PDB file of all heavy atoms in Angstrom:
ATOM      1  N   ASP A  44      95.349 101.661  77.250  1.00  0.00           N
ATOM      2  CA  ASP A  44      94.358 102.563  76.671  1.00  0.00           C
ATOM      3  C   ASP A  44      94.992 103.671  75.832  1.00  0.00           C
ATOM      4  O   ASP A  44      94.329 104.612  75.434  1.00  0.00           O
ATOM      5  CB  ASP A  44      93.488 103.184  77.766  1.00  0.00           C
ATOM      6  CG  ASP A  44      94.296 104.055  78.736  1.00  0.00           C
ATOM      7  OD1 ASP A  44      95.523 104.193  78.552  1.00  0.00           O
ATOM      8  OD2 ASP A  44      93.689 104.594  79.681  1.00  0.00           O
ATOM      9  N   ILE A  74      85.183  99.999  74.494  1.00  0.00           N
ATOM     10  CA  ILE A  74      83.854 100.273  75.006  1.00  0.00           C
ATOM     11  C   ILE A  74      82.858 100.745  73.959  1.00  0.00           C
ATOM     12  O   ILE A  74      81.647 100.657  74.137  1.00  0.00           O
ATOM     13  CB  ILE A  74      83.934 101.320  76.149  1.00  0.00           C
ATOM     14  CG1 ILE A  74      82.613 101.343  76.948  1.00  0.00           C
ATOM     15  CG2 ILE A  74      84.273 102.704  75.588  1.00  0.00           C
ATOM     16  CD1 ILE A  74      82.685 102.186  78.191  1.00  0.00           C
ATOM     17  N   GLN A  97      92.160 102.605  65.400  1.00  0.00           N
ATOM     18  CA  GLN A  97      92.971 103.292  66.406  1.00  0.00           C
ATOM     19  C   GLN A  97      93.273 102.367  67.582  1.00  0.00           C
ATOM     20  O   GLN A  97      94.382 102.376  68.136  1.00  0.00           O
ATOM     21  CB  GLN A  97      92.246 104.549  66.880  1.00  0.00           C
ATOM     22  CG  GLN A  97      92.128 105.630  65.816  1.00  0.00           C
ATOM     23  CD  GLN A  97      91.298 106.811  66.276  1.00  0.00           C
ATOM     24  OE1 GLN A  97      91.073 107.002  67.462  1.00  0.00           O
ATOM     25  NE2 GLN A  97      90.828 107.606  65.323  1.00  0.00           N
ATOM     26  N   ILE A 141      97.755  90.957  87.139  1.00  0.00           N
ATOM     27  CA  ILE A 141      97.247  92.022  86.274  1.00  0.00           C
ATOM     28  C   ILE A 141      98.019  93.292  86.585  1.00  0.00           C
ATOM     29  O   ILE A 141      98.205  93.645  87.750  1.00  0.00           O
ATOM     30  CB  ILE A 141      95.739  92.255  86.486  1.00  0.00           C
ATOM     31  CG1 ILE A 141      94.942  91.065  85.970  1.00  0.00           C
ATOM     32  CG2 ILE A 141      95.284  93.531  85.784  1.00  0.00           C
ATOM     33  CD1 ILE A 141      93.444  91.188  86.184  1.00  0.00           C
ATOM     34  N   ARG A 146      96.414 105.876  86.323  1.00  0.00           N
ATOM     35  CA  ARG A 146      95.347 106.632  85.679  1.00  0.00           C
ATOM     36  C   ARG A 146      95.457 106.443  84.176  1.00  0.00           C
ATOM     37  O   ARG A 146      96.548 106.283  83.639  1.00  0.00           O
ATOM     38  CB  ARG A 146      95.424 108.127  86.008  1.00  0.00           C
ATOM     39  CG  ARG A 146      94.967 108.484  87.406  1.00  0.00           C
ATOM     40  CD  ARG A 146      94.977 109.981  87.624  1.00  0.00           C
ATOM     41  NE  ARG A 146      96.330 110.530  87.579  1.00  0.00           N
ATOM     42  CZ  ARG A 146      96.762 111.407  86.683  1.00  0.00           C
ATOM     43  NH1 ARG A 146      95.963 111.802  85.715  1.00  0.00           N
ATOM     44  NH2 ARG A 146      97.985 111.868  86.734  1.00  0.00           N
ATOM     45  N   ALA A 160      91.788 101.361  88.125  1.00  0.00           N
ATOM     46  CA  ALA A 160      92.765 100.745  89.021  1.00  0.00           C
ATOM     47  C   ALA A 160      92.107 100.331  90.333  1.00  0.00           C
ATOM     48  O   ALA A 160      92.361  99.233  90.852  1.00  0.00           O
ATOM     49  CB  ALA A 160      93.918 101.717  89.283  1.00  0.00           C
ATOM     50  N   GLY A 187     103.050  95.479 104.004  1.00  0.00           N
ATOM     51  CA  GLY A 187     102.336  95.849 105.216  1.00  0.00           C
ATOM     52  C   GLY A 187     101.711  94.629 105.859  1.00  0.00           C
ATOM     53  O   GLY A 187     101.096  93.795 105.190  1.00  0.00           O
ATOM     54  N   VAL A 213     111.114  93.685 103.582  1.00  0.00           N
ATOM     55  CA  VAL A 213     110.886  94.402 104.834  1.00  0.00           C
ATOM     56  C   VAL A 213     109.410  94.275 105.183  1.00  0.00           C
ATOM     57  O   VAL A 213     108.540  94.780 104.461  1.00  0.00           O
ATOM     58  CB  VAL A 213     111.271  95.885 104.728  1.00  0.00           C
ATOM     59  CG1 VAL A 213     110.998  96.601 106.055  1.00  0.00           C
ATOM     60  CG2 VAL A 213     112.738  96.030 104.335  1.00  0.00           C
ATOM     61  N   GLN A 230      87.989 109.391 132.509  1.00  0.00           N
ATOM     62  CA  GLN A 230      89.283 108.869 132.924  1.00  0.00           C
ATOM     63  C   GLN A 230      90.155 108.638 131.703  1.00  0.00           C
ATOM     64  O   GLN A 230      89.663 108.184 130.664  1.00  0.00           O
ATOM     65  CB  GLN A 230      89.131 107.556 133.685  1.00  0.00           C
ATOM     66  CG  GLN A 230      88.479 107.712 135.050  1.00  0.00           C
ATOM     67  CD  GLN A 230      88.422 106.383 135.779  1.00  0.00           C
ATOM     68  OE1 GLN A 230      88.269 105.336 135.169  1.00  0.00           O
ATOM     69  NE2 GLN A 230      88.563 106.434 137.092  1.00  0.00           N
ATOM     70  N   GLU A 256     112.090  79.408 105.652  1.00  0.00           N
ATOM     71  CA  GLU A 256     112.099  78.044 105.132  1.00  0.00           C
ATOM     72  C   GLU A 256     111.534  78.000 103.709  1.00  0.00           C
ATOM     73  O   GLU A 256     112.041  77.270 102.851  1.00  0.00           O
ATOM     74  CB  GLU A 256     111.279  77.139 106.047  1.00  0.00           C
ATOM     75  CG  GLU A 256     111.838  77.031 107.466  1.00  0.00           C
ATOM     76  CD  GLU A 256     110.922  76.232 108.373  1.00  0.00           C
ATOM     77  OE1 GLU A 256     109.899  75.715 107.867  1.00  0.00           O
ATOM     78  OE2 GLU A 256     111.222  76.142 109.573  1.00  0.00           O
ATOM     79  N   SER A 303      91.483 101.103 104.159  1.00  0.00           N
ATOM     80  CA  SER A 303      92.079 102.443 104.148  1.00  0.00           C
ATOM     81  C   SER A 303      93.566 102.403 103.841  1.00  0.00           C
ATOM     82  O   SER A 303      94.098 103.306 103.185  1.00  0.00           O
ATOM     83  CB  SER A 303      91.840 103.131 105.496  1.00  0.00           C
ATOM     84  OG  SER A 303      92.431 102.386 106.549  1.00  0.00           O
ATOM     85  N   ALA A 308      97.906 103.573  99.990  1.00  0.00           N
ATOM     86  CA  ALA A 308      99.048 103.142  99.180  1.00  0.00           C
ATOM     87  C   ALA A 308      98.828 103.466  97.711  1.00  0.00           C
ATOM     88  O   ALA A 308      99.720 103.985  97.031  1.00  0.00           O
ATOM     89  CB  ALA A 308      99.288 101.648  99.373  1.00  0.00           C
TER      90      ALA A 308
END
Side-chain angles (χ1 to χ4, degrees):
D44 63 1
I74 195 172
Q97 292 175 18
I141 291 178
R146 285 184 294 117
V213 179
Q230 291 183 327
E256 297 175 4
S303 60

